[in-house]
Amino acid sequence: MNYESINKITDILDNLPRNSIGGKKVDINWIDLSEVKYNLKLPLEYRWFIENYDFVVLWGEPTKTVFPPEYQDDADQDIFNYHELDSEEPQMENKLVFLVTEEGEEYYFPIKDYQAQKEVFLHDPKNELDEFYSEDFLEFLLKEIPKNYYN
């Protein structure tokens, strides 16, 4: 992981309004149990983020997170449960969506061999296009947080 990016993101997130980021850390055991249950590994950068911040609100919506196992199956904001529901559509089974904006744009990690890749892609539903967006979730945050909070 890029520790320079982590330091930048930590500084940025610490200065956002309290209602724009999660108020708790996600229990590492919830993540481990979910990765086994759903047979899907999260990218390290995303895992670091949810372990430390839970979620951030971007484009009017919170990023997906991981819920306690007893609530996971009813939580559409749980990244694993959302993927389980989303993958019923064949074009979505190899995409791990972590943010759906108010406009319907989807930011996701491609999935290969039961591992969500670290690269971030953007699906634009208006044009039915998928395009590369950033090298990893940390770079995604460095692009998106200023667009949402500093304009």
Side-chain angles (χ1 to χ4, degrees), residues 7-145:
N7 290 335
K8 286 180 187 176
I9 289 165
T10 300
D11 288 342
I12 291 169
L13 291 171
D14 288 347
N15 289 300
L16 290 181
R18 286 286 156 225
N19 64 348
S20 62
I21 57 174
K24 62 176 180 59
K25 294 181 179 186
V26 171
D27 188 319
I28 294 169
N29 293 321
W30 301 346
I31 300 169
D32 292 339
L33 289 169
S34 296
E35 286 183 335
V36 170
K37 176 181 177 181
Y38 292 95
N39 195 25
L40 180 60
K41 297 279 241 182
L42 296 177
L44 289 176
E45 296 81 3
Y46 191 75
R47 186 178 168 124
W48 170 85
F49 174 77
I50 60 175
E51 286 175 7
N52 290 281
Y53 292 97
D54 192 16
F55 67 87
V56 62
V57 176
L58 298 170
W59 302 113
E61 297 294 331
T63 54
K64 306 287 183 209
T65 187
V66 175
F67 277 66
E70 62 270 22
Y71 302 114
Q72 193 169 45
D73 292 341
D74 297 321
D76 66 350
Q77 284 301 323
D78 179 275
I79 192 167
F80 292 102
N81 185 46
Y82 188 84
H83 176 67
E84 186 80 5
L85 298 171
D86 208 26
S87 65
E88 292 174 6
E89 297 179 37
Q91 73 272 18
M92 299 305 292
E93 68 183 326
N94 292 318
K95 299 176 181 180
L96 183 62
V97 174
F98 64 85
L99 177 64
V100 180
T101 69
E102 290 176 333
E103 304 296 319
E105 296 171 321
E106 297 173 319
Y107 291 91
Y108 68 90
F109 305 110
I111 299 171
K112 183 179 178 185
D113 299 327
Y114 309 104
Q115 169 71 52
Q117 304 300 293
K118 71 178 194 170
E119 295 86 8
V120 173
F121 283 77
L122 169 61
H123 173 74
D124 177 358
K126 294 175 191 156
N127 301 314
E128 287 300 315
L129 293 174
D130 289 84
E131 62 182 326
F132 174 81
Y133 191 78
S134 65
E135 289 294 327
D136 61 36
F137 187 71
L138 302 177
E139 184 180 306
F140 165 83
L141 291 175
L142 290 171
K143 285 182 172 184
E144 290 301 309
I145 291 172

